[in-house]
Every structure is written in structure tokens, then in C-alpha cells.
């Protein structure tokens, strides 16, 4: 499976993945998913929001056990964030068939569309639409950096953008959703465990800061005559770092757009996106408010106009305790063989499982990442740990779907 998936959307120079929603690379990932489903005799469905489902058993029977993740990536993402969950799902099904188990519930493997939000700026579009956490109107307004709207991109990929919307009946037929994911920190490396169970996802969001000044000549405009939004932006980045440090939170400006973006021109506009996350809502609110306050103070002093828009927000997710405890029980004494209970850990990364948790009992398994690096071509998981992840997922699915 990895050999076929590896070349899709991989950038020649960086070695990272550029699998953005509704592009050719995304289509190739979807074709790969279809081929995996067909090779196993599963029934492929694409829902109204473009999420893929590969079914074993009757999709309409209810109380289905669903597992899967996403195949899209951030700009120059790693090989594992998303695909490890999908590949492991198919591998776990193969393992259960090898064990000769009898399924008493329908099982589905999913590929949720546009999880990273790399193209349209909003993460988890496929699962948000399904769960009714993103309105059709708001989805129709999403635009990429070239000005292409989400409906235009979907139509160009052969999907019907007028069909998108909430899918409560489909979600009501799910009894449990389990997403396996590469860990995106070093918690498992530090405890020495190949596999962990998720406890919670930190609240997180994305805020767009538009700093507007005055374009002018870099060689002739005296420093005192400038209204340079890059300076205010830079001061805001430093403030974000400082506030996050003070609060024990995270704040990142990882993307900017500059106009006119000329080497010898003072910018007229610097647009920066703040990604901020914290263990609790109050801390997150405090950090973002402090960053905005600092930005406004600097902007006012420098004659810069500032607009701040919250582009997305995901509240804290506490995974359902009953399902989480069931996973712990199912994995007790499991083949990954540390002799200790599987650790339960929180994460600052967002996931479709977090979005779905408002509608469906959800749980997550994490597979050790020896460096913790993620959203980078250097993201890694050792083969033994991936196999331990598949075994753990198979144990969980056997316990949930084969009673
Ligand atoms: C998704 O990977 C996120 O940004 O949390
Ligand atoms: Mn990710
Ligand atoms: Mn992911």
C-alpha cells in the first residue's frame, strides 16, 4: 500500500507532500482508496461532502464500526499524517480476516476530505460539513489563494458542490469511530510505548491579521515617512511568542501573504495567519486577546490599519470516556508487549475524530513518532511501531465489531 501511495503528490525537491483538496494529487489519493476497497471486495461510497467510505456489511444496518483518517496534506507534509490511519485501517481489516473473525456489525474504512485545510484555510471541511459544524453558505464562500472557490474546485474535480451539507442520518448509523494517527509530539517516545490512546484535543483556531500600510519605494522613502506593515507584523509575531510562553500555550504565525511582494517596495499589506492552541479555552482566549491587543497598540503607533478575523475555531474535545476505557481494556496485554497499560495522552493537533465526537462516540490511537516532527517531510514512524499500531487497531475493531 505504501509503495503505491508514496509517489502521489510528493514534491521532487522538498520530498514533502502537497496533496491539497480537490487537486490532481487528491484525486490520485482517492483513486488509490477506491482500488484498495475494490481489492478487498468492499463497497465504495462517496458521500455528499466527498468523503470516501469502504463498507464491509450493510451500510444501512446501523451501529457500524468505522475507522479511517485522511489522505490530504499540509504544504510539504510528511508521509504519515493522515495516510498512516487509512493504510492501517485496510491492514487491520486484512489482519482480522487472517484471524478468521466473524463480523457482527458493519465495518467501514473512511477517507475524510480536506482535513488539513491547506488550500481553503479551514481544517476538517469534510467532517465539519457532515457533522453540521460548517454551513453550506460558509463552505461555498471558501476561496483558495488563487481565488478559486470551493464549489469551483469541487466541480472541476467532478463532484457536485450543490450536494454538500449535513449528513445526520449517515452519522447516526455509526456506533463508534476510531481514528489511528501518527503521534505529532514525543510523548510516546518519552514513555517508551509504541501505541497510545487519545484523551483530549486542545481547543485551537486560526486568526487572520491584515496589516495595511502604504506601498512606497524602498530606496527613496525616508524611514520616518514610512507606514510599513511588515514592522507591525514582526512585532506581532514576537508578541505571540511572548504571550504563548507566559500562558503555557502555543502560538504560531506559519503563513503570510505580502502585497505587492516586491524586494524593493515597502508592502501595502501584510496578511499573517495566527494558529493558537492551549489546554483550555480560557487560556486560549487570553493568549489570542493579548496578541491582538499588542498588534493594535503597535499598529496605532505606526499608522497601520489592522483587521483581525477568526477564520476557524475548534473547541476542546474530551473523547468519550466509555469508549476510551473500552479501548484500554481491549489493548490490555496486547501484542505490543510492554506489559504496561497503553498510555492515554492529549494532543494539540486537530483531527476529524474531534469534529465527529460531537455526533458519534469517537476514540483515537496514536503511533509513536520517534522525533515528534510532524507537518514536515521529516515526519517518521518506525515499521515495527506501525505494525504495532495495526495490531492494536485490529484488536480494537475485533472487540467492537465482532462481538
Ligand atoms: C491538523 O493537523 C492540525 O493542524 O491540527
Ligand atoms: Mn495534520
Ligand atoms: Mn492528520
Amino acid at each position: 500500500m505504501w509503495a503505491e501511495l508514496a509517489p502521489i503528490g510528493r514534491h521532487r525537491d522538498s520530498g514533502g507532500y502537497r496533496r491539497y483538496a480537490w487537486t490532481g494529487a487528491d484525486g490520485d489519493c482517492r483513486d488509490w482508496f477506491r482500488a484498495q476497497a475494490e481489492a478487498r471486495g468492499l463497497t465504495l461510497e462517496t458521500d455528499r461532502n466527498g468523503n470516501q467510505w469502504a463498507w464491509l456489511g450493510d451500510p444501512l444496518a446501523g451501529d457500524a464500526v468505522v475507522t479511517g483518517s485522511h489522505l490530504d496534506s499540509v504544504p510539504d507534509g510528511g508521509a504519515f499524517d493522515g495516510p498512516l490511519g487509512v493504510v492501517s485501517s485496510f491492514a487491520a481489516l486484512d489482519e482480522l480476516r487472517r484471524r478468521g473473525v466473524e463480523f457482527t456489525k458493519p465495518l467501514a474504512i473512511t477517507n475524510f476530505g480536506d482535513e488539513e485545510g491547506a488550500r481553503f484555510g479551514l481544517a476538517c471541511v469534510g467532517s465539519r460539513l457532515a457533522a453540521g459544524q460548517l454551513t453550506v453558505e460558509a463552505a461555498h464562500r471558501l476561496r483558495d489563494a488563487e481565488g478559486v472557490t470551493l464549489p469551483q474546485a469541487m466541480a472541476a474535480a467532478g463532484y457536485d458542490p450543490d450536494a454538500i451539507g449535513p449528513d445526520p442520518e449517515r452519522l447516526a448509523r455509526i456506533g463508534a469511530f476510531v481514528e489511528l494517527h501518527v503521534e505529532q509530539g514525543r510523548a510516546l517516545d518519552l514513555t517508551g510505548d509504541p501505541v497510545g490512546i487519545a484523551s483530549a484535543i486542545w481547543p485551537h483556531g486560526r486568526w487572520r491579521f491584515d496589516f495595511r500600510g502604504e506601498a512606497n519605494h524602498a530606496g527613496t522613502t525616508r524611514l520616518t515617512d514610512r507606514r510599513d506593515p511588515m514592522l507591525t507584523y514582526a512585532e506581532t509575531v514576537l508578541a505571540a511568542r511572548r504571550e504563548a510562553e507566559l500562558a503555557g500555550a502555543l502560538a504560531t504565525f506559519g503563513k503570510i501573504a505580502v502585497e505587492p511582494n516586491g524586494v524593493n517596495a515597502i508592502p501595502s499589506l501584510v496578511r499573517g495567519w495566527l494558529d493558537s492552541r492551549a489546554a483550555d479555552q480560557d487560556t486560549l482566549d487570553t493568549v489570542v486577546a493579548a496578541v491582538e491587543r499588542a498588534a493594535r497598540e503597535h499598529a496605532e503607533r505606526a499608522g497601520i490599519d489592522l483587521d483581525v478575523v477568526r477564520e476557524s475555531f475548534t473547541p476542546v474535545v474530551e473523547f468519550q470516556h466509555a469508549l476510551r476505557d473500552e479501548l484500554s481494556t481491549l489493548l490490555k496485554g496486547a501484542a505490543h508487549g510492554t506489559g504496561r497499560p497503553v498510555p492515554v495522552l492529549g494532543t494539540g493537533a486537530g483531527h476529524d475524530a474531534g469534529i465527529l465526537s460531537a455526533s458519534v462516540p469517537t476514540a483515537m490511537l496514536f503511533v509513536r513518532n520517534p522525533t515528534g516532527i510532524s507537518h514536515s517531510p521529516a515526519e517518521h514512524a518506525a515499521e515495527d511501531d506501525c505494525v504495532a499500531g495495526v495490531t492494536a487497531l485490529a484488536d480494537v475493531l475485533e472487540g467492537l465489531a465482532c462481538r
Side-chain angles (χ1 to χ4, degrees):
M1 283 188 273
W2 283 117
E4 288 169 20
L5 205 46
I8 301 175
R10 186 168 200 185
H11 193 257
R12 224 189 9 247
D13 299 333
S14 69
Y17 287 95
R18 300 182 182 182
R19 295 168 174 161
Y20 309 142
W22 310 116
T23 60
D26 187 47
D28 290 347
C29 288
R30 290 165 178 275
D31 289 345
W32 172 89
F33 185 93
R34 183 181 306 115
Q36 295 304 320
E38 279 168 7
R40 291 169 176 80
L42 308 176
T43 309
L44 184 82
E45 270 191 319
T46 304
D47 69 23
R48 58 189 299 193
N49 299 306
N51 305 308
Q52 292 179 298
W53 303 71
W55 284 95
L56 176 71
D58 180 2
L60 300 178
D63 203 19
V65 174
V66 182
T67 183
S69 191
H70 62 96
L71 295 173
D72 69 316
S73 79
V74 296
D76 283 338
F80 297 86
D81 177 358
L84 183 63
V86 181
V87 168
S88 299
S89 297
F90 284 117
L93 173 60
D94 295 344
E95 164 65 8
L96 291 177
R97 283 176 160 166
R98 193 192 62 77
R99 291 181 191 175
V101 302
E102 221 172 279
F103 289 91
T104 55
K105 293 179 183 176
L107 179 85
I109 296 171
T110 53
N111 166 31
F112 281 102
D114 200 1
E115 194 270 355
E116 298 286 9
R119 182 170 177 190
F120 296 101
L122 178 67
C124 301
V125 169
S127 56
R128 270 186 217 275
L129 278 167
Q133 294 180 29
L134 169 65
T135 64
V136 175
E137 297 70 37
H140 278 182
R141 283 196 302 270
L142 292 172
R143 268 176 201 280
D144 71 10
E146 268 71 55
V148 178
T149 64
L150 177 72
Q152 287 167 340
M154 284 186 79
Y159 292 79
D160 178 7
D162 293 324
I164 65 171
D167 221 345
E169 288 96 31
R170 178 179 296 275
L171 297 190
R173 295 195 291 265
I174 303 175
F177 175 67
V178 181
E179 178 171 0
L180 177 146
H181 205 278
V182 68
E183 203 207 336
Q184 295 170 287
R186 287 190 53 221
L188 293 172
D189 183 54
L190 295 173
T191 58
D193 292 280
V195 174
I197 297 171
S199 56
I201 298 178
W202 283 15
H204 56 283
R206 300 177 182 184
W207 289 261
R208 197 185 76 223
F209 285 59
D210 289 349
F211 301 92
R212 288 176 205 279
E214 185 177 46
N216 212 331
H217 196 294
T220 59
T221 317
R222 294 186 316 160
L223 294 179
T224 48
D225 291 342
R226 297 180 179 202
R227 285 173 54 226
D228 183 351
M230 188 64 85
L231 294 177
T232 316
Y233 165 72
E235 277 156 333
T236 305
V237 175
L238 296 174
R241 171 67 187 228
R242 195 166 49 242
E243 296 300 335
E245 251 165 28
L246 283 172
L250 298 168
T252 308
F253 278 93
K255 174 178 172 179
I256 61 170
V258 180
E259 289 177 15
N261 209 22
V263 185
N264 51 357
I266 298 158
S268 55
L269 168 73
V270 176
R271 177 168 280 160
W273 281 264
L274 170 70
D275 176 310
S276 189
R277 313 180 188 218
D280 63 83
Q281 181 74 52
D282 283 353
T283 307
L284 180 59
D285 291 346
T286 305
V287 169
V288 175
V291 176
E292 182 171 345
R293 202 164 45 243
R296 291 202 182 282
E297 282 166 14
H298 288 296
E300 200 176 317
R301 252 179 265 144
I304 299 298
D305 295 324
L306 172 63
D307 286 313
V308 181
V309 180
R310 189 177 84 175
E311 290 199 334
S312 74
F313 182 72
T314 310
V316 67
V317 171
E318 182 77 29
F319 286 109
Q320 202 206 52
H321 286 218
L323 185 59
R324 181 175 120 186
D325 292 348
E326 199 170 351
L327 259 62
S328 292
T329 307
L330 288 168
L331 295 181
K332 204 166 273 169
H336 70 275
T338 61
R340 295 190 303 275
V342 176
V344 179
L345 46 125
T347 176
H351 300 285
D352 294 308
I355 301 297
L356 294 181
S357 69
S359 321
V360 174
T362 56
M364 289 191 74
L365 291 174
F366 291 126
V367 171
R368 173 165 50 194
N369 175 338
T371 59
I373 293 179
S374 188
H375 286 183
S376 149
E379 181 182 75
H380 184 64
E383 189 169 330
D384 282 356
D385 290 350
C386 294
V387 171
V390 171
T391 306
L393 183 61
D395 291 347
V396 165
L397 297 177
E398 182 175 352
L400 294 177
C402 307
R403 281 180 295 214

